[in-house]
Amino acid sequence: MSIAADCSSLNGFVEDMLRWVRGKGKILIVVHDNPDPDCFASAMALNHLFVMKLNREAVLSFSGMIGRSENLAMAKELQIPLTPLAILNISDFQVICMVDTQPGVGNNSLPPGTTVDILIDHHPVRETSMNCRFVDIRPNYGVTATILYEYLVAENIPIGTKLATALFYAIKSETQDLGREANRPDREAYHKLFPLTNKLLLYEICHPKLPAEYFLSLNNALKHTRIYDTVLVANLRMVVFPEIVAELADFLLRLEKIETVLCMGHYNNEMILSMRTIRHDTNVGEIIKKLVDGMGTAGGHGMMAGGKVDKVSASVEEMLKLERILTDRLFKALAMSKVKPEKLFSKHP
């Protein structure tokens, strides 16, 4: 179910949830693989709710890796206590929470069949999610962290500097400073949280040093970009961390005349995909599902989406073959006729 965002119904939902958790044992909070700032901030806020109202601390778990420099800086500077899900025994926990992802979507490592008790997310609702005990899914919100911020406000819970910085940065990064898929609640949270943030920590998170691998991936993106009118397809080939695919999709969308970007990179026998668009009449969350149909999993929003294709060989031939398949499906999904591709630097050797 999705709950109304007015204060009275929200307060009732949160109170019911807390009442149920109060009588249970250990609490686990699960985020999606290769977590991003929205995951971090949402998990921190939900844990803060449990600490302040129940005097109970949850275990914050993740899978995959934290590769993007900004995300590493956020985890380090804000001292976020993260535990790899792989080393935990799920049966030790009586309360399972999931934020910024949903059961069975393919982007989290919660074992299949595990009962999720509390689910809070801003992605489109999946059918399996309705089996959870407490569900708050708001696809019209730009950020899951905004939903958790509203929980804390509804319960009159003070928000400290580190948590405020995490929540603010989650909204800032996910919505590109309110320029992408930000709704009124996201804007209100953004403006109310900013005065509470630690500006020095915020600077350290936003401007971290970048590893050499970042520039190697950027070089591959520029070399292997193909432009089809207003659509850009970039094949990064091998990447050392999966988040770089989404990061460079955002970057390449800034190229003049480009409206839609499909970026891909090979990591751990999978082709990681990221789509971005500036068009409000295009839903890349639905398009990317068509691209991976029968090959993998995907999901997302109107203007941003991600996914992966399973069991992809690391050979250049296989990566190029998959690129052609995905590009053909993209043309079909966008109802585009085939056009001759241009290289990014074809006119500027």
Side-chain angles (χ1 to χ4, degrees):
M1 69 178 189
S2 180
I3 64 169
D6 63 273
C7 191
S8 58
S9 63
L10 179 61
N11 187 260
F13 175 86
V14 176
E15 286 295 328
D16 287 345
M17 182 182 74
L18 291 171
R19 193 176 302 112
W20 182 83
V21 173
R22 185 175 283 110
K24 304 297 183 294
K26 294 177 66 176
I27 305 168
L28 177 67
I29 300 176
V30 179
V31 301
H32 63 64
D33 296 348
N34 312 312
D36 59 15
D38 197 12
C39 285
F40 293 152
S42 299
M44 287 175 68
L46 184 57
N47 182 55
H48 186 58
L49 176 70
F50 292 144
V51 169
M52 297 300 290
K53 299 297 290 188
L54 305 177
N55 196 27
R56 303 265 303 283
E57 193 153 3
V59 174
L60 281 55
S61 68
F62 78 104
S63 297
M65 66 180 295
I66 306 169
R68 184 167 178 168
S69 298
E70 290 87 346
N71 299 351
L72 282 168
M74 181 179 183
K76 176 185 175 183
E77 297 294 340
L78 300 181
Q79 300 175 313
I80 305 173
L82 297 166
T83 303
L85 184 62
I87 70 172
L88 298 173
N89 186 344
I90 301 296
S91 63
D92 289 341
F93 297 89
Q94 289 70 53
V95 180
I96 308 292
C97 311
M98 183 172 273
V99 296
D100 201 34
T101 182
Q102 296 178 44
V105 300
N107 72 341
N108 65 74
S109 298
L110 190 68
T114 302
T115 298
V116 175
D117 302 300
I118 297 170
L119 174 60
I120 305 164
D121 190 23
H122 73 124
H123 296 93
V125 181
R126 300 296 183 107
E127 186 176 346
T128 54
S129 298
M130 306 318 294
N131 297 322
C132 304
R133 185 181 296 271
F134 294 94
V135 181
D136 189 358
I137 299 176
R138 308 187 202 177
N140 60 321
Y141 276 49
V143 193
T144 302
T146 301
I147 303 172
L148 271 301
Y149 166 77
E150 291 185 351
Y151 285 16
L152 300 179
V153 172
E155 291 292 317
N156 295 310
I157 294 174
I159 299 174
T161 300
K162 286 184 178 179
L163 179 55
T165 304
L167 290 167
F168 175 82
Y169 182 68
I171 300 169
K172 171 184 172 64
S173 61
E174 188 86 355
T175 67
Q176 299 281 288
D177 283 306
L178 303 181
R180 179 178 65 192
E181 297 189 347
N183 209 334
R184 179 181 55 79
D186 304 304
R187 294 191 293 271
E188 290 182 355
Y190 180 97
H191 291 299
K192 290 179 180 178
L193 284 164
F194 180 70
L196 305 177
T197 61
N198 182 313
K199 309 308 182 291
L200 179 59
L201 288 180
L202 200 57
Y203 176 84
E204 295 294 335
I205 294 168
C206 293
H207 301 89
K209 286 291 186 181
L210 299 170
E213 290 81 5
Y214 171 87
F215 296 97
L216 290 173
S217 293
L218 176 59
N219 181 57
N220 277 337
L222 300 179
K223 283 170 58 179
H224 303 302
T225 283
R226 298 292 180 268
I227 298 171
Y228 304 86
D229 194 18
T230 61
V231 175
L232 183 152
V233 178
N235 191 335
L236 311 185
R237 309 288 176 90
M238 303 291 293
V239 296
V240 294
F241 56 93
E243 299 104 312
I244 191 69
V245 180
E247 186 171 1
L248 291 181
D250 284 329
F251 178 73
L252 292 167
L253 188 61
R254 297 171 61 184
L255 181 63
E256 60 182 357
K257 299 181 181 179
I258 293 301
E259 296 179 351
T260 302
V261 168
L262 169 62
C263 197
M264 63 192 77
H266 190 278
Y267 176 79
N268 196 25
N269 296 318
E270 297 174 337
M271 188 64 90
I272 308 299
L273 309 178
S274 184
M275 282 197 73
R276 298 291 187 268
T277 188
I278 61 171
R279 293 180 53 170
H280 293 277
D281 62 343
T282 300
N283 188 326
V284 294
E286 293 303 316
I287 289 174
I288 201 168
K289 291 177 187 176
K290 297 176 182 178
L291 300 192
V292 304
D293 185 34
M295 300 190 296
T297 56
H301 315 271
M303 301 178 75
M304 57 186 295
K308 63 181 181 178
V309 176
D310 304 317
K311 299 178 182 177
V312 179
S313 166
S315 73
V316 173
E317 292 78 10
E318 284 298 311
M319 285 189 271
L320 291 177
K321 179 182 176 182
L322 180 59
E323 179 186 341
R324 289 192 293 270
I325 293 171
L326 293 171
T327 303
D328 287 344
R329 290 186 177 189
L330 180 59
F331 286 148
K332 185 176 180 180
L334 292 172
M336 283 178 59
S337 57
K338 271 198 170 184
V339 296
K340 185 178 179 180
E342 292 184 12
K343 292 183 178 180
L344 183 57
F345 295 124
S346 58
K347 298 178 181 178
H348 307 281

